[in-house]
Amino acid sequence: MKRLIIAVCAFALCVSAQAQRLRVGEHSSEMQVKYTIKGVSNENGKMVYLEDRLTSKVVDSTVVAKGKFAFKGQADKDAVLAITFDKDWRSWRTLFFNDGKTVSVNMNDSTLKGSPLNERLAYYNKEITGLSNRYYPEYKGKMMKKMFDEERESLLPAALIVEGQRRFGAKGLLSMLEEKPAYAEHPIVKQYEKTLKWMATGNYVVKSGKTDEQKAADKKAKDACIGQQFTDFEMADTLGNTHKLSEYVVDGHWLLVDFWASWCGPCRREMPNVVAAYEKFHAKGLEIVGVSLDGRKEPWVKAIATLNMPWTHLSDLKAWDSLVTKVYKINAIPDNLLIDPQGKIVARDLSGEELQAKLAEVFK
């Protein structure tokens, strides 16, 4: 009898431990559910992409034909997926949770039909991220508070957790997560919580709230380097070995200096586009050096592996106090410099199709 009791207890502990692992979002084949997405669009012939918001990776793509498109596949249960016409991080995305329910998307007006949770997410996503900035913070702030108050016991806020940080601040959002709302256990929130804790230390500066005049002045200062010779700097790679940027400015090769960080959502969303550019043009003479504004080594190195970035990586791990932010007037990321074989900066802040087009022009 004692052996039976012990065996039962051990089984219960095992099941409890497994449930705990699943609860905090570890990947498991048992967590995979099928998704069925039906879409309509007037953009015949245009590519449509399906992204996983946790990894910022494109998991599928198709073409609009006769006003329709569709996706079928399998992904983690409750993963936040996104549908977009453009892999550029600045483009509009229709978000939904992979809850096993069929999703119908109208890309002409950014509406969605599906489970009640996904229909509410579509509403808040459009109201919060779809309006022009002149409505922020009054209207957007009001909608953010409404969502976080009314959806406390649902997963919905996880899909817009970055917007939550902008509304409540890192410390404010952390205090909300300490109250253990349902969405706090979602993998996206768990991943972002590490960044929030770093932000709360004061070592992170959010670059926002600038007037149009200030933004124009920032852009002018950044663009002043175009047409000039690059400015050299020295930083360590992931193994601690020190390198100068000038090592990678080689006759016959073009160099893309990519400024990013593991905690930067837009950077992660743009990275598949940078990887695609490297795969397409590296053999023709393109080199990339990634310069991270991370403050800690572990997430930096992990992101490099997760995002499959096969080029050289440098960082002084000083976040916004990094040497390069002063040398190249960096006030927001992602950002980059395109340097020709003679060391002249010919373009800056290229992304999405613009990056691909510029490189195609260079290597034609």
Side-chain angles (χ1 to χ4, degrees), residues 53-281:
R53 299 297 283 168
L54 179 65
T55 63
S56 298
K57 289 184 177 180
V58 173
V59 296
D60 204 352
S61 62
T62 189
V63 178
V64 179
K66 296 182 179 179
K68 297 181 180 181
F69 64 90
F71 292 107
K72 281 191 176 182
Q74 191 167 288
D76 285 353
K77 185 180 185 305
D78 296 325
V80 178
L81 302 180
I83 302 172
T84 179
F85 277 137
D86 196 334
K87 290 184 285 186
D88 184 344
W89 63 271
R90 291 167 289 196
S91 299
W92 169 259
R93 280 159 170 73
T94 299
L95 306 176
F96 65 94
F97 288 95
N98 184 36
D99 56 9
K101 307 294 183 182
T102 298
V103 174
S104 298
V105 180
N106 187 331
M107 297 296 281
N108 300 319
D109 60 9
S110 301
T111 57
L112 177 149
K113 296 294 183 182
S115 65
L117 174 66
N118 279 327
E119 290 186 3
R120 296 199 306 275
L121 172 56
Y123 166 74
Y124 279 112
N125 186 35
K126 194 171 181 180
E127 292 297 298
I128 292 168
T129 68
L131 293 174
S132 62
N133 286 334
R134 67 177 179 272
Y135 292 111
Y136 191 83
E138 292 83 5
Y139 183 78
K140 287 188 177 183
K142 178 181 177 181
M143 293 303 295
M144 286 298 298
K145 187 174 188 311
K146 175 181 171 65
M147 182 187 73
F148 273 82
D149 286 346
E150 296 184 358
E151 299 290 340
R152 175 182 168 79
E153 297 308 317
S154 83
L155 294 178
L156 198 156
L160 296 172
I161 195 68
V162 175
E163 296 292 335
Q165 183 273 319
R166 293 171 182 165
R167 169 63 177 85
F168 305 108
K171 291 182 179 179
L173 188 51
L174 280 172
S175 67
M176 294 165 67
L177 294 178
E178 287 174 358
E179 296 175 3
K180 304 299 181 184
Y183 61 85
E185 295 299 324
H186 194 280
I188 282 182
V189 178
K190 286 292 184 184
Q191 176 176 279
Y192 193 57
E193 189 174 11
K194 299 173 183 178
T195 299
L196 289 174
K197 290 178 179 178
W198 180 38
M199 289 179 176
T201 65
N203 294 325
Y204 175 91
V205 180
V206 179
K207 306 294 184 180
S208 62
K210 293 187 177 182
T211 65
D212 290 341
E213 290 78 11
Q214 289 172 321
K215 291 177 182 178
D218 286 343
K219 187 177 188 307
K220 184 177 180 180
K222 287 172 59 174
D223 290 350
C225 67
I226 296 177
Q228 305 297 316
Q229 287 295 110
F230 78 99
T231 300
D232 207 2
F233 59 81
E234 190 173 82
M235 282 186 179
D237 62 19
T238 57
L239 299 177
N241 300 315
T242 302
H243 298 273
K244 289 185 176 181
L245 184 65
S246 53
E247 294 176 31
Y248 307 97
V249 180
V250 181
D251 190 25
H253 292 271
W254 286 72
L255 176 65
L256 184 72
V257 185
D258 187 46
F259 302 110
W260 71 292
S262 67
W263 45 260
C264 170
C267 301
R268 297 179 76 104
R269 292 194 289 275
E270 170 65 12
M271 204 55 69
N273 184 53
V274 182
V275 172
Y278 183 82
E279 292 174 348
K280 185 174 182 180
F281 297 107

